[in-house]
Amino acid sequence: MKPAPFEHLAAPSADEAVAALARGGPDAKVLAGGQSLVPMLALRLARPTLLVDINPARELDYVREDAGAVAIGATARQRAVERWAATRLPLLAEALRWVGHAPIRNRGTAVGSIVHGDPASELPALLLCLDGAVIASGPRGRRQIAARDLYLGPLYTSLDAAELAVEARLTLPPAGAGWGFAEVARRHGDFALAGAAALLALDGDGRVSLARLAMFGVGPTPVRAAAAEAALIGHAPDAARIAEAARAGAAALEPDGDIHASADYRRRAAAVLAERVLTAAAGRCRRAA
Ligand SMILES: Cc1cc2nc3c(=O)[nH]c(=O)nc-3n(C[C@H](O)[C@H](O)[C@H](O)COP(=O)(O)OP(=O)(O)OC[C@H]3O[C@@H](n4cnc5c(N)ncnc54)[C@H](O)[C@@H]3O)c2cc1C
């Protein structure tokens, strides 16, 4: 199929993109890498009358460390973020390796993936795991939306239709923190049937002082497994404690079944993946001095 007719506007700056979104109203949409939007247009699952193309806005093309976070501009490609993260934030680099294939990551933006909000997507889960936020710019100015307030349902976020996500910020882990990432997909590059990302840090006695576990593909939005995190804080992350935490985290999930996997399969996979990523994270931790 071909897309329904639309007007294309090349926005040379973030401000001009925001002004165009305001003029276009609810029928305007941002075009970033187009790796999700263009297929949706072609299938007529989305029928915007105005596409506000932010690719000409060079000011939005950056990945940099800023005040204890990695700041990612709206047009930074997933591959650029992957390259930046390879030496500085391996958890993010590993997660990106699972996003589609290299040609998709060469074009797709990290911010586009974060605000598209596919529940089986890697980057929204990373935003949760790394206590991140999105900076939104709209007709009433700029605001910061914390990851925990962003995801409301499948492909549904608290970003207003008139807002442009100008930047995503992911908090850098403390020194010595360990990480783990794993997912199950039918083929490499497919969206995950279930996935997990973990971050752990230890105090000087070898007890967990920071625990974050984010799960994806197992519900309408990515989630932080609060029960698993609570089960770990203050304890040595030995195999029994990790198994108990993973069970607690998976028990709170309410995945749906579909043609790819049943709800029961997803819940079981989530428990196994949670245990794996927590074990990997514990193995990579260094005790605080
Ligand atoms: C074959 C294939 C396999 C894929 N596999 C995976 C996978 O395994 N995991 C995965 O996570 N993704 C996967 N993707 C999707 C890919 O990661 C997309 O690039 C990403 O989801 C969207 O980023 P984009 O820059 O392409 O956004 P676009 O497609 O341009 O936009 C997507 C949506 O987000 C909105 N949007 C984008 N940027 C902004 C912004 N700055 N402010 C406000 N709204 C914005 C758009 O209006 C649109 O609604 C796959 C895509 C393909 C084609």
Side-chain angles (χ1 to χ4, degrees), residues 76-94:
R77 307 295 160 189
Q78 293 160 2
R79 278 289 278 166
V81 179
E82 192 178 352
R83 278 194 288 271
W84 183 93
T87 50
R88 284 173 260 204
L89 189 47
L91 167 59
L92 179 58
E94 175 62 16

Side-chain angles (χ1 to χ4, degrees), residues 199-219:
L199 195 69
L200 292 180
L202 302 179
D203 63 19
D205 297 323
R207 296 199 183 88
V208 175
S209 56
L210 175 150
R212 297 202 206 124
L213 176 64
M215 309 290 306
F216 58 104
V218 285

Side-chain angles (χ1 to χ4, degrees), residues 75-265:
T75 60
R77 307 295 160 189
Q78 293 160 2
R79 278 289 278 166
V81 179
E82 192 178 352
R83 278 194 288 271
W84 183 93
T87 50
R88 284 173 260 204
L89 189 47
L91 167 59
L92 179 58
E94 175 62 16
L96 275 159
R97 209 174 59 77
W98 289 84
V99 176
H101 304 279
I104 289 153
R105 302 198 294 274
N106 279 336
R107 189 70 200 155
T109 65
V111 172
S113 171
I114 284 168
V115 299
H116 186 54
D118 191 307
S121 230
E122 291 79 3
L123 293 183
L126 263 281
L127 193 78
L128 279 171
C129 187
L130 293 170
D131 255 351
V134 162
I135 313 285
S137 179
R140 286 191 297 277
R142 288 199 172 196
R143 65 180 179 128
Q144 181 160 322
I145 310 171
R148 64 179 170 281
D149 301 324
L150 185 62
Y151 298 109
L152 305 177
L155 310 185
Y156 176 36
T157 71
S158 54
L159 191 72
D160 194 75
E163 286 179 316
L164 173 71
V166 287
E167 182 178 292
R169 299 180 66 83
L170 287 76
T171 315
L172 294 170
W179 60 273
F181 182 91
E183 73 173 59
V184 184
R186 290 180 82 92
R187 295 169 305 184
H188 185 87
D190 283 3
F191 280 93
L193 300 177
L199 195 69
L200 292 180
L202 302 179
D203 63 19
D205 297 323
R207 296 199 183 88
V208 175
S209 56
L210 175 150
R212 297 202 206 124
L213 176 64
M215 309 290 306
F216 58 104
V218 285
T221 67
V223 286
R224 280 275 291 274
E229 295 174 0
L232 287 161
I233 291 289
H235 298 278
D238 55 31
R241 176 63 58 176
I242 284 176
E244 185 193 321
R247 267 196 306 276
L253 299 172
E254 290 180 2
D256 280 331
D258 57 25
I259 53 163
H260 303 297
S262 67
D264 189 45
Y265 174 88

